[in-house]
Structure formats: C-alpha cells, structure tokens
Amino acid sequence: MTHQTKPHILIVDDDESICKSLSVILQSEGYQTTTATTAKEAIEKTKTQFFNLALLDIKLPDIEGTKLLAQLQETTPETIKIMVTGYPSIQNAVEALNLGATSYIMKPIDPAELLKTIKNKLEAQQKAEKITKEKLAEWIQAQIRKKQSSNFQEFLEETASELTSFGLTKTQAKIYITALALGA
C-alpha cells in the first residue's frame, strides 16, 4: 500500500478557527491537511481518502469524539488517531486510549508539542510499514525458492491468491511477485 509522499492529516474539530489554525501549522511543516467539523463529515472523508493521522476533538456536535474514534478504529485501523480536548478528564483519556488513540493532547494546543508528537507517530508508522513490506518480500522470495523446481505460472496463481489478503488485487500481486522473482 503506497501512500502520498507528504503525510495526510485529518483535523476534526467543531471550531473552524481551530481547524484553520492547525491546518496552517501542519501545512507549514509540509503535511497535507483536510478538515471536518462533524463526525459525519470526517467519516465521509475517510471513505474516499487515506489519512496517515487524524486529530479528533472529543466534543463534536453530532457524536462524542470517542465514538468517532471507535468507528474510525474499525474502518481505518492503520490511521494514527490523536484525541484533542479542552475538557480533560481521566475517564476521557482512559476511554480514548482503550479505543485505540495513540495520544491525548489538551487544548490550548502547544504547536511545538503537537508537531513533535505527530512527527514521532508518523516515523513509527513508516517504520512499521517498511518492516511489513520487507517481511512480505522475504516471504515471497522464500516461496519462490521453494517452488523453483515447479511451474512458475502455477506458483504465481497460488501466491497471488494468498497476497490478496494483504489488500492487493490479484494483478498487483502477480506484478509484485514477478518483480521480486526477477530480482527487481
């Protein structure tokens, strides 16, 4: 799964001025941003775009931010989710972390602290993605070695079918396997 070169961040807050301020700060650091002022709008946007990270306000007009967090955790588990709140409480923090948030940030937001947190979370995400790609390539190469004496076309079909569980189409999987087999 290849994502844009610039990480894409979804900002969800019912206060448009906060959305704009965070967008300006994040864009100045080279991030792409998209904003939403309701949970419904955020969910719609995640259906058509991949976000590396989402900043979610706990108080939203349509549903609690923690309910949005739970929904996004189901539909986009690979997106890093950071809760942002002007109403900090131990209960909110524990609930957010239990539902899959990786951080909990209090308003007023310290831009330097926010940028540091985002940078660290995105670096960890990229490292995990790289490790996954490397493991997948190693697995395919091991399969190729095991099957070298057998029919490559048959091997290609079997392995491509197995790779579809990683979110690739069968054609993408075949291209990937063939490229690895050729040492590309």
Side-chain angles (χ1 to χ4, degrees):
M1 206 184 336
T2 313
H3 308 310
Q4 313 85 319
T5 50
K6 283 186 190 177
H8 201 156
I9 299 174
L10 175 63
I11 302 164
V12 186
D13 197 303
D14 61 331
D15 184 333
E16 284 189 35
S17 64
I18 289 176
C19 286
K20 284 183 183 142
S21 299
L22 290 174
S23 274
V24 168
I25 292 166
L26 295 170
Q27 287 171 5
S28 74
E29 292 295 313
Y31 298 116
Q32 292 182 52
T33 61
T34 298
T35 61
T37 54
T38 65
K40 184 178 189 288
E41 185 184 355
I43 290 165
E44 287 306 308
K45 288 183 177 182
T46 61
K47 287 179 182 175
T48 58
Q49 276 182 287
F50 173 79
F51 295 98
N52 298 83
L53 189 139
L55 296 172
L56 310 172
D57 189 17
I58 282 200
K59 297 282 184 213
L60 294 169
D62 47 353
I63 64 169
E64 275 294 300
T66 50
K67 285 193 171 54
L68 171 60
L69 169 65
Q71 284 185 12
L72 292 180
Q73 194 59 17
E74 286 214 357
T75 58
T76 60
E78 65 282 353
T79 298
I80 297 164
K81 292 144 201 97
I82 298 176
M83 296 307 294
V84 179
T85 185
Y87 308 94
S89 77
I90 297 295
Q91 182 188 348
N92 271 347
V94 169
E95 185 181 3
L97 295 171
N98 285 338
L99 289 170
T102 60
S103 290
Y104 186 88
I105 294 176
M106 261 93 67
K107 291 178 183 173
I109 295 170
D110 172 359
E113 195 58 39
L114 175 68
L115 290 170
K116 182 179 160 196
T117 299
I118 287 173
K119 183 175 184 263
N120 291 340
K121 298 297 177 189
L122 289 173
E123 282 174 0
Q125 181 186 57
Q126 287 171 336
K127 190 175 181 183
E129 202 173 87
K130 184 176 184 247
I131 290 168
T132 302
K133 285 178 185 172
E134 286 170 3
K135 284 184 177 165
L136 182 58
E138 285 170 16
W139 178 81
I140 290 171
Q141 286 165 343
Q143 297 302 314
I144 291 168
R145 284 190 298 278
K146 282 183 198 170
K147 307 265 183 166
Q148 277 187 335
S149 59
S150 70
N151 178 335
F152 184 75
Q153 194 58 44
E154 194 177 295
F155 160 75
L156 189 61
E157 287 297 326
E158 284 174 24
T159 310
S161 292
E162 290 178 40
L163 281 179
T164 57
S165 64
F166 286 97
L168 298 172
T169 67
K170 204 163 182 181
T171 304
Q172 288 171 325
K174 285 180 181 180
I175 292 167
Y176 189 61
I177 295 163
T178 304
L180 281 171
L182 296 172

